């Protein structure tokens, strides 16, 4: 029997070698789960209407500004595009990714944004009954072959679908079972971000390399985005927004940096102790405080959606008593420090 099992394993490994197929793990942590819903049959295919912001994909930067106006700011990203941040109103908050003068991705979370064929706040049962969600999603790019492998929980809370030429990632709040936010992207953005485990044959599309100074600018941009997205979610739950706390942000950044450099993932630093110790050393006075940490997410907004779907992190995110927030991002480690001075 053992000889048969060994022979099977050898055969599988040989098959992978012959086909030149590689396995790459997911770049995001999946921490949530709820009951799987199978799509209904005989539903008409989804279409993106002209009124949807998804139609901005592929349009020029000039067309974007003509339709939406100037952004509040332009943030760099770690994927070679710039985020045009439209944060004038929390109800219409979105980030539009522009590269080579064209829109290639959109992250939308404002509840009044036109994102048809979906809607922010739409029940997940309705969504999952009208889209075909599978555990294997195949993408072809010339002679290259890629297959994303979604776990059962990812299929339910971070499903991936394609409508026309647009790839769509849905972020579902498992506690309310409603659509929290949505990401539209081109094939190239999807293959570069790789938010799920992937089996591939050919070449992987990797993000650009940046200098230390450029990386820090990207990290600072993500820190601002995490504050923005956190406040959109707090306002959605009828809570007051939190305001930036510079000293808490410095403590948060130091913790993220140390976790990367010392290769650990914990609220307790081996050198600086827990959050209370770190705040005391920084001379931060507070009556209440809490910390959220995350690692290996696509970007800041994705990390916030991960916190929202984790019970303990969610309590901090939606605590009505907190008034201030410091955020620290280093590489792909994220730290939120909430407090009430």
């Amino acid at each position: 029997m053992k000889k048969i099992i060994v022979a099977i394993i050898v055969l599988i490994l040989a098959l992978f070698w012959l086909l030149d197929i590689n396995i790459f793990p997911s770049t995001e942590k999946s921490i949530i789960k709820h009951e799987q819903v199978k799509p209904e049959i005989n539903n008409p295919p989804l279409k993106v209407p002209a009124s949807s912001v998804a139609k901005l994909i592929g349009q020029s930067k000039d067309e974007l500004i003509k339709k939406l106006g100037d952004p509040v700011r332009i943030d760099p990203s770690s994927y070679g595009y710039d985020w045009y941040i439209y944060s004038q109103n929390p109800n219409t908050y979105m980030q539009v990714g522009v590269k080579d003068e064209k829109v290639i991705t959109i992250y939308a979370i404002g509840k009044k944004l036109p994102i048809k064929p979906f809607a922010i706040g739409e029940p997940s049962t309705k969504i999952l009954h009208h889209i075909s969600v599978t555990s294997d999603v195949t993408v072809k790019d010339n002679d290259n072959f890629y297959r994303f492998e979604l776990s059962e929980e990812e299929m339910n809370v971070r499903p991936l679908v394609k409508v026309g030429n647009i790839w769509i990632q849905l972020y579902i709040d498992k506690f309310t079972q409603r659509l929290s936010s949505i990401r539209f992207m081109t094939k190239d953005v999807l293959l570069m971000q790789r938010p799920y485990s992937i089996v591939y044959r050919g070449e992987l599309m990797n993000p650009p390399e940046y200098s230390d100074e450029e990386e820090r600018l990207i990290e600072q941009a993500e820190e601002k985005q995490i504050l923005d997205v956190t406040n959109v979610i707090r306002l959605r739950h009828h809570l007051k927004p939190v305001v930036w706390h510079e000293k808490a942000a410095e403590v948060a950044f130091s913790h993220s940096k140390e976790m990367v450099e010392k290769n650990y993932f914990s609220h307790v630093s081996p050198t600086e102790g827990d959050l209370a110790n770190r705040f005391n050393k920084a001379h931060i006075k507070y009556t209440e405080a809490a910390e959220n940490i995350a690692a290996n997410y696509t970007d800041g907004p994705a990390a916030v959606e991960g916190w929202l779907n984790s019970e303990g992190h969610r309590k901090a995110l939606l605590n009505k008593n907190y008034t201030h927030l410091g955020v620290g991002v280093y590489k792909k480690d994220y730290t939120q420090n909430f407090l009430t001075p």
Side-chain angles (χ1 to χ4, degrees):
M1 184 65 180
K2 289 183 178 179
K3 291 182 179 180
I4 295 174
I5 293 173
V6 171
I8 292 173
I9 293 173
V10 170
L11 180 61
I12 292 172
L13 291 175
L15 180 61
F16 272 93
W17 181 81
L18 288 171
L19 294 177
D20 190 27
I21 291 178
N22 304 276
I23 300 176
F24 200 87
S26 169
T27 59
E28 291 192 8
K29 290 185 177 180
S30 184
I31 53 175
I32 44 182
K33 183 178 182 180
H34 70 259
E35 182 182 2
Q36 183 177 359
V37 181
K38 294 182 179 180
E40 294 178 351
I41 59 173
N42 299 323
N43 284 313
L46 291 176
K47 295 182 179 180
V48 176
S51 59
S52 175
V53 298
K55 282 293 186 179
L56 291 170
I57 297 291
Q59 295 191 20
S60 70
K61 180 191 74 174
D62 292 339
E63 290 171 324
L64 167 67
I65 294 176
K66 183 179 179 180
K67 291 180 179 179
L68 299 184
D70 292 324
V72 169
R73 65 179 190 271
I74 299 176
D75 290 347
S77 81
S78 59
Y79 298 102
Y81 53 79
D82 289 326
W83 279 124
Y84 283 50
I85 308 296
Y86 288 91
S87 59
Q88 296 92 332
N89 185 331
N91 290 324
T92 55
Y93 181 93
M94 69 174 171
Q95 303 178 191
V96 182
V98 177
K99 181 180 180 181
D100 298 330
E101 303 290 309
K102 283 193 174 182
V103 176
I104 60 172
T105 185
I106 297 168
Y107 172 76
I109 191 172
K111 66 180 181 180
K112 291 187 177 180
L113 284 170
I115 60 165
K116 291 183 178 180
F118 307 101
I120 299 297
E122 186 176 9
S124 61
T125 50
K126 181 179 178 181
I127 293 171
L128 296 174
H129 273 301
H130 291 85
I131 62 175
S132 178
V133 179
T134 61
S135 60
D136 295 336
V137 179
T138 300
V139 182
K140 293 183 179 179
D141 184 39
N142 298 321
D143 294 331
N144 298 323
F145 163 86
Y146 308 90
R147 186 176 75 243
F148 290 105
E149 297 183 341
L150 282 68
S151 67
E152 181 180 337
E153 49 194 60
E154 287 172 332
M155 290 170 61
N156 281 278
V157 298
R158 283 197 299 121
L160 177 68
V161 296
K162 185 181 181 185
V163 179
N165 292 322
I166 301 173
W167 289 93
I168 303 173
Q169 188 178 25
L170 302 152
Y171 293 96
I172 295 172
D173 182 336
K174 78 165 189 177
F175 292 92
T176 63
Q177 295 192 13
R178 292 179 179 275
L179 181 64
S180 177
S181 62
I182 192 167
R183 196 183 295 256
F184 303 103
M185 58 195 137
T186 63
K187 175 179 63 178
D188 286 351
V189 172
L190 174 64
L191 293 176
M192 189 181 301
Q193 292 185 347
R194 298 192 293 275
Y196 312 93
S197 295
I198 186 173
V199 175
Y200 68 99
R201 182 179 63 241
E203 298 294 328
L204 282 178
M205 188 177 297
N206 293 312
E209 294 184 0
Y210 297 97
S211 67
D212 291 344
E213 292 78 11
E214 290 171 329
E215 281 194 349
R216 185 61 195 131
L217 290 174
I218 292 169
E219 291 161 359
Q220 290 172 333
E222 289 197 76
E223 290 166 0
K224 294 177 184 176
Q225 293 160 25
I226 287 174
L227 174 68
D228 289 341
V229 175
T230 294
N231 278 332
V232 172
I233 291 173
R234 285 178 65 87
L235 289 169
R236 179 186 295 169
H237 289 82
H238 311 292
L239 300 171
K240 291 182 179 180
V242 288
V243 298
W244 186 259
H245 194 289
E246 186 60 32
K247 283 190 175 181
E250 292 171 2
V251 171
F253 176 75
S254 294
H255 191 59
S256 290
K257 189 171 187 289
E258 186 185 74
M259 286 194 294
V260 172
E261 292 179 342
K262 294 186 181 296
N263 192 29
Y264 74 91
F265 186 73
S266 171
H267 290 286
V268 181
S269 161
T271 58
E272 302 297 327
D274 62 13
L275 180 61
N277 289 333
R278 286 180 270 129
F279 269 9
N280 289 336
K281 289 182 180 180
H283 305 291
I284 298 174
K285 295 182 179 180
Y286 63 96
T287 57
E288 292 184 63
E291 180 175 79
N292 285 341
I293 58 176
N296 299 325
Y297 280 87
T298 299
D299 53 21
V304 178
E305 290 292 351
W307 285 325
L308 186 66
N309 269 336
S310 174
E311 186 173 3
H313 299 88
R314 183 187 183 93
K315 287 180 179 178
L317 196 72
L318 301 180
N319 189 315
K320 66 179 181 180
N321 296 328
Y322 295 137
T323 58
H324 291 71
L325 174 64
V327 182
V329 177
Y330 184 74
K331 306 293 186 182
K332 289 298 181 183
D333 273 38
Y334 308 87
T335 300
Q336 276 187 320
N337 285 341
F338 291 93
L339 71 151
T340 303

